[in-house]
Amino acid sequence: MNVSTDNMVYHQPIDVNVLNYLTDYLDAGFNLFPLKERDKIPAIKWKPLLKKPLTIDELKQFYETNPKLNIGIIMGPTSGGLIVLDVDHSPPEQLVFLLAENPTAAVQTSRGRHYYFRSKKKLPNLNFNWGELRSNDVYVVAPPSIHPNGIRYDFLNDCHLNEIVEIPDAILKFLTTRGSVVGKRGNVNPDSGLTSKSFKGNSKGKLPSNELIYPLLGNYTVSRDSPYSLLGNFGNTYKDPEIALKVMRSLGINVSKLGEAFRCPIHEDVNPSAALWKGKNGTIMLHEFHQGDNFWTLPEMYASYICHKKEFMKLSKSQMVEWWIRVLENIGHIQLPTIKFKPLPANVSKGTKATYEGFIYLIRIRKFYNQNEAEEAPFSWGFACDWCNFTKPTIQKGLKWLLANGYLEKAKDAIKCGKREAALYKLKKEGCFLK
Ligand SMILES: [Zn+2]
């Protein structure tokens, strides 16, 4: 075989992981071939493979020589009708809605997602300004390949190849009424009945403006819901629809059931474009679908909202727990333990008061979470600004005053706090009074 890659200079045992992918793909009936290492460029001539696909032994030879080669899968009848909808970060709302309604295997790519479908009919390749439908005489880069920018192609949520569904009519209709056919018209098989003129959908690509109900997406889990597991026995609060609805109402967002669309709490949007969503493990999250397809935990939504953020903020696991307990206290679902602290004189600045009260509040929350918690907590600038809802200079001034006047002490200059470091502060106990 004529191998054109420069990388094949040494031999080493085939990577078990790559071998698993290769055999899984072959079992699924896919026609695959090696791409160059960390590249989308074929390592061999692939068009001849349409007539004679590579066998597992032939594939093994390539990947034994260089296990870092990427994997390409040829689209269309040669791969059992496999087609891939390549979607970037901002697909139209209606498509997001359709994809949510019709779960299938999907891959996280460097700029969006690849949704894997099968089609019994031969489809044209279609272009959109947000992506493309790759149907035949083309290939896609498949997991576990690495994009030239270093990002790995990865199946979403450990989905399996046997979860690839026949492309639903609604999605096909959506695509064929909007896409422009790639290449000359003559390249499209006229008998396929699927040129761009075939369907005359009347959808304008807009969601219903008043209310949108969609089925809960039982087949998906979002890995970022896992921090709730830190809550132990209290973890069930994040699965309770009544609590989720109460949280929304506490923010002034009137929503009466899961799946009911409302206006995004963070972004200005004209049409309702967010909804509460319940995943496979029962976690309720905010699904935001007016600019891509984003999922946020309820504490992230709450924190972003009350901090008047222009974008949603990501919280670390421990921050998420702290914010969630704060949410539960605010809606009256729990009571925080009281702690002793030294009261401030009446004439301190607003910022100092807010910093002190914010820190005490944080300690009470940490005590709720763990009764044996020492009365100390990491309090980074970034976190403190959001938590106390004041600017950095105000917080800095407040902390300085509290340290200088014996209200707080620094237990440690820097401790690990997620990926960052933060100073560890402690309440001073001398002359304390019960709250
Ligand atoms: Zn939004």
Side-chain angles (χ1 to χ4, degrees), residues 10 26 28 38 52 62 64 88 105 117 129 189 208 222 238 277 281-282 315 356 360 382 399 412 415 435:
Y10 54 91
L26 287 180
R38 204 171 157 164
K52 190 176 175 294
F62 284 108
E64 268 163 15
D88 69 13
F117 293 103
N129 50 21
N189 177 4
V222 177
Y238 67 78
W277 171 91
N281 61 4
L315 298 177
Y356 194 47
I360 290 167
L399 275 174
K412 269 180 196 144
I415 62 158
K435 187 189 171 175

Side-chain angles (χ1 to χ4, degrees), residues 14-201:
I14 188 161
D15 188 308
V16 178
N17 191 33
V18 177
L19 183 61
N20 286 342
Y21 278 97
L22 294 176
T23 49
D24 282 356
Y25 289 147
L26 287 180
D27 288 348
F30 299 165
N31 188 341
L32 46 142
F33 64 97
L35 304 175
K36 288 190 177 184
E37 181 177 330
R38 204 171 157 164
D39 213 327
K40 300 176 171 186
I41 300 168
I44 60 170
K45 285 183 179 169
W46 65 275
K47 292 260 180 172
L49 303 176
L50 285 166
K51 283 183 183 155
K52 190 176 175 294
L54 294 173
T55 63
I56 184 67
D57 288 333
E58 287 168 325
L59 282 163
K60 269 187 189 169
Q61 273 185 15
F62 284 108
Y63 291 89
E64 268 163 15
T65 314
N66 183 359
K68 288 182 177 171
L69 290 174
N70 278 346
I71 300 177
I73 302 178
I74 305 172
M75 299 290 97
T78 187
S79 285
L82 182 70
I83 57 173
V84 164
L85 181 60
D86 182 354
V87 171
D88 69 13
H89 286 302
S90 15
E93 289 168 1
Q94 196 185 350
L95 178 63
V96 173
F97 166 72
L98 287 168
L99 289 169
E101 259 190 329
N102 298 282
T104 191
V107 168
Q108 188 70 50
T109 67
S110 98
R111 61 168 196 151
R113 286 180 187 178
H114 283 169
Y115 291 90
Y116 282 52
F117 293 103
R118 288 189 193 266
S119 172
K120 291 194 180 80
K121 301 171 203 160
K122 194 176 176 187
L123 301 179
N125 296 315
L126 296 172
N127 264 341
F128 311 90
N129 50 21
W130 43 263
E132 53 190 311
L133 179 69
R134 305 179 69 78
S135 307
N136 63 76
D137 274 354
V138 287
Y139 62 89
V140 298
V141 186
S145 298
I146 298 185
H147 190 271
N149 68 12
I151 293 174
R152 186 182 289 280
Y153 290 78
D154 222 343
F155 280 105
L156 281 174
N157 312 317
D158 299 320
C159 57
H160 296 289
L161 296 175
N162 58 18
E163 288 166 20
I164 299 174
V165 301
E166 181 79 14
I167 188 163
D169 286 342
I171 292 181
L172 196 53
K173 183 171 172 179
F174 178 91
L175 299 176
T176 47
T177 47
R178 285 165 183 78
S180 56
V181 176
V182 178
K184 290 176 191 163
R185 208 149 256 288
N187 285 352
V188 180
N189 177 4
D191 295 327
S192 71
L194 282 167
T195 59
S196 55
K197 281 183 180 170
S198 299
F199 293 104
K200 291 193 182 74

